[in-house]
Structure formats: C-alpha cells, structure tokens
Amino acid sequence: QVQLVESGGGLVQPGGSLRLSCAASGRTFSSYVMGWFRQAPGKEREFVTTITRSGGITYYAESAKGRFTISRDNAKNTVYLQMTSLKPEDTAVYYCAARSVPSDTYYYINAASYVYWGQGTQVTVSS
C-alpha cells in the first residue's frame, strides 16, 4: 500500500508556472510507475503525463507537450510536475497516481491502470 500526497497547487496568471509535488509513503517508490492526471469541473479525468520507475521514459498528452515536465526523485519518494506557459484551460484538480510494475519498461496513460491515487491539488489559471 502506498499513500500519495500532492502539493504545490494554487492560483497563477496565464503564462505563469507552477511545480506540483507528489510525495509517496513506503520504501518501494522506485518500483512504481507514476502518472499525473487532471479533472476540470464537469469533465472527465484526463491523462497528463507518466514516468517509468527509473525516470528513463516519459510520455505526455498532447496538451502537455512542450509545457509540462514530469520528473522523479526516488531517493525522496517524490514525483514532480513542472508546468510552464499555463493557460486558463489548464485549470483543474491535479492528481498523481501510482502502480507497482515489474520492470522499467512499463508506463500507463489510462486512469484505470493505476491503483493508488492522491487526494488532488487545485490549479487555477486566471488573471
């Protein structure tokens, strides 16, 4: 079992930046593939990005490419989402998710593939 706690959300102006963090409990963080998802009011939860166990492979939704960067620090049990050039349409609750996987080649873009979820952190992009 792993618990995930997101932080770093807030209110930012269009064009601004934020860095979200997701801290995981437990000693097996390096065995988990991690993902970030978001859910805007009235919309379904959508994939943002994912990263393999070692961080060697990352994958982004089209909406995130070139603006968002996922990274992880396995020594700190933390995954990050650096967001730049933020737009009003990025406004959502951002969730991190985790799933234990057997090797470093696994990553997932479907929410249903993840087992553990954080409580979410609100990101609001508005002037």
Side-chain angles (χ1 to χ4, degrees):
Q1 184 98 9
V2 62
Q3 292 185 326
L4 305 173
V5 179
E6 302 96 335
S7 62
L11 174 64
V12 63
Q13 292 186 340
S17 300
L18 278 177
R19 188 177 82 155
L20 306 183
S21 299
C22 173
S25 64
R27 296 180 291 176
T28 58
F29 180 72
S30 60
S31 68
Y32 288 86
V33 64
M34 302 297 297
W36 285 98
F37 291 76
R38 66 186 184 185
Q39 187 167 18
K43 295 188 177 181
E44 293 187 354
R45 191 168 297 190
E46 65 172 0
F47 168 76
V48 177
T49 181
T50 181
I51 189 167
T52 52
R53 299 188 333 183
S54 70
I57 300 173
T58 59
Y59 188 84
Y60 295 89
E62 284 298 320
S63 60
K65 284 182 181 178
R67 299 189 301 125
F68 294 3
T69 302
I70 189 172
S71 61
R72 66 189 295 163
D73 185 338
N74 286 345
K76 295 183 178 180
N77 283 14
T78 302
V79 63
Y80 304 98
L81 180 63
Q82 178 69 50
M83 304 186 293
T84 63
S85 302
L86 283 161
K87 306 173 182 179
E89 51 263 44
D90 294 318
T91 295
V93 177
Y94 283 71
Y95 299 90
C96 69
R99 172 175 173 163
S100 180
V101 291
S103 76
D104 201 30
T105 59
Y106 286 76
Y107 63 90
Y108 301 101
I109 65 173
N110 295 315
S113 297
Y114 289 86
V115 176
Y116 304 105
W117 291 84
Q119 83 290 347
T121 186
Q122 176 70 47
V123 171
T124 302
V125 185
S126 175
S127 55

